[in-house]
Amino acid sequence: MNLFTIFIIEKLKSLLKLKSVFFVPNNVCVGENSVIDTDLNKSVKLNDVAYNILSLLDGKNTIEDIVSILLKKYNVSKQILERDINSIVSNLQDKNLVECKIVGNKILVFFFNLAIGQYLHKKRYSIPKSKIVTFLLLFYIVVKKLFIMWLITIIPVYFFISNFTLDFNNMVNYAIGCYFVFIFAMILGFVLHEWIHIVVSKIQNQEIHGYILAKRFTVSIVKVNTESSLLSILLGPIVPSILGIVFILISLKTQSMMTFLLGIGFVINIINLLPFTKDGKGILEKILMKKLMKGAIK
């Protein structure tokens, strides 16, 4: 993010009397010697300074508050202490062990987070035990992430409909309907893709370590397993793609553009099989590893 954007956001927060605070996510446990990520079943060692800083990340204190508190405890300059705190917090944020949120007036915070905050700060969600709840959670996260797109689209569309001549209303309404069906199919296809990764991994492994991470404009699964199986990686993009092909075949029979776009929205997932994508790379690595193993056995 460039300095100008940061400056504008900070000015907006100041104008709205909002502030950024840090906190430790629910499934992260802080001990005197280490911080444990129970979702991943991993730990990071802490020194005394890091522990004291983490113990103050309660969702109420800003960095300035923490600096003021620790200045009374450590005989160091404010500049050095602030630098060290920012460094430790930033490092733990990179590991998704610390999160940032906006606090202030509840109504202003809600709209700020919806329009800006969710694209600035990462948020992790533990994977629910229920497969249905996992699907609904993924759907909620993705739809929420696309809020700006919905807003940018709906406002001009509403203006266009309300001011357009009646002769074209039916055509315009159908075109808008097709557009929203296509977007809905893309969202549902993506959610189905990620959900299948999780479900197949759950079926194949009794113990699963991982979480859902919402970061900027993306949603991803962080280390659902120590190592995903080839079947898990393959089925993610293949199932929604097959579903899309079925809809396309139906559209050719019914001559329905809306059904055709519904199918295209799902079929787009097939791109994830290409080698330059995350799934594509994983598939290629698995296949190459199997060939190497066979060659080694021979």
Side-chain angles (χ1 to χ4, degrees), residues 85 94 158 189 207 241 262 285 296-298:
I85 290 170
D94 290 340
Y158 177 78
E207 191 175 0
S241 298
L262 182 67
E285 285 173 6
I297 291 168
K298 287 178 181 179

Side-chain angles (χ1 to χ4, degrees), residues 103-159:
V103 295
N105 180 279
K106 289 183 179 180
I107 295 171
L108 293 176
V109 167
F110 174 78
F111 285 106
F112 183 88
N113 282 332
L114 202 59
I116 301 172
Q118 65 168 327
Y119 307 110
L120 298 176
H121 309 304
K122 295 187 288 184
K123 184 168 178 60
R124 55 184 280 173
Y125 301 83
S126 296
I127 298 170
K129 291 181 180 179
S130 166
K131 297 178 182 68
I132 294 171
V133 176
T134 302
F135 183 86
L136 293 173
L137 176 62
L138 277 166
F139 188 77
Y140 160 76
I141 297 167
V142 174
V143 170
K144 186 182 172 187
K145 279 288 176 188
L146 293 172
F147 170 78
I148 291 295
M149 187 200 72
W150 292 121
L151 197 65
I152 292 170
T153 305
I154 289 168
I155 291 173
V157 164
Y158 177 78
F159 177 80

Side-chain angles (χ1 to χ4, degrees), residues 149-257:
M149 187 200 72
W150 292 121
L151 197 65
I152 292 170
T153 305
I154 289 168
I155 291 173
V157 164
Y158 177 78
F159 177 80
F160 187 74
I161 291 173
S162 60
N163 291 279
F164 216 79
T165 57
L166 292 172
D167 295 339
F168 292 92
N169 272 358
N170 289 337
M171 290 175 62
V172 170
N173 286 336
Y174 185 75
I176 291 166
C178 286
Y179 169 76
F180 281 112
V181 163
F182 175 68
I183 296 299
F184 177 76
M186 283 184 65
I187 292 170
L188 206 55
F190 173 79
V191 172
L192 188 61
H193 173 174
E194 296 296 339
W195 181 70
I196 287 166
H197 283 323
I198 295 171
V199 170
V200 174
S201 297
K202 279 187 174 183
I203 291 169
Q204 291 182 327
N205 302 275
Q206 291 182 349
E207 191 175 0
I208 295 177
H209 303 297
Y211 53 85
I212 301 164
L213 181 68
K215 178 184 177 183
R216 297 276 176 101
F217 291 92
T218 64
V219 178
S220 59
I221 310 299
V222 177
K223 296 180 181 177
V224 176
N225 291 302
T226 51
E227 190 177 355
S228 299
S229 69
L230 180 60
L231 184 66
S232 169
I233 301 171
L234 272 171
L235 288 180
I238 285 177
V239 172
S241 298
I242 290 172
L243 190 60
I245 290 167
V246 170
F247 279 120
I248 290 170
L249 292 174
I250 292 170
S251 73
L252 296 175
K253 275 279 186 183
T254 59
Q255 297 295 302
S256 169
M257 177 59 72

Side-chain angles (χ1 to χ4, degrees), residues 69-123:
I69 293 167
L70 293 182
L71 270 174
K72 298 172 185 176
K73 188 170 185 177
Y74 296 104
N75 187 25
V76 292
S77 69
K78 182 179 178 181
Q79 187 179 6
I80 292 172
L81 184 59
E82 190 171 359
R83 183 197 64 195
D84 289 346
I85 290 170
N86 279 318
S87 175
I88 289 168
V89 170
S90 177
N91 182 264
L92 291 170
Q93 273 188 295
D94 290 340
K95 293 179 172 66
N96 304 317
L97 297 171
V98 167
E99 292 181 9
C100 181
K101 68 177 181 179
I102 306 297
V103 295
N105 180 279
K106 289 183 179 180
I107 295 171
L108 293 176
V109 167
F110 174 78
F111 285 106
F112 183 88
N113 282 332
L114 202 59
I116 301 172
Q118 65 168 327
Y119 307 110
L120 298 176
H121 309 304
K122 295 187 288 184
K123 184 168 178 60

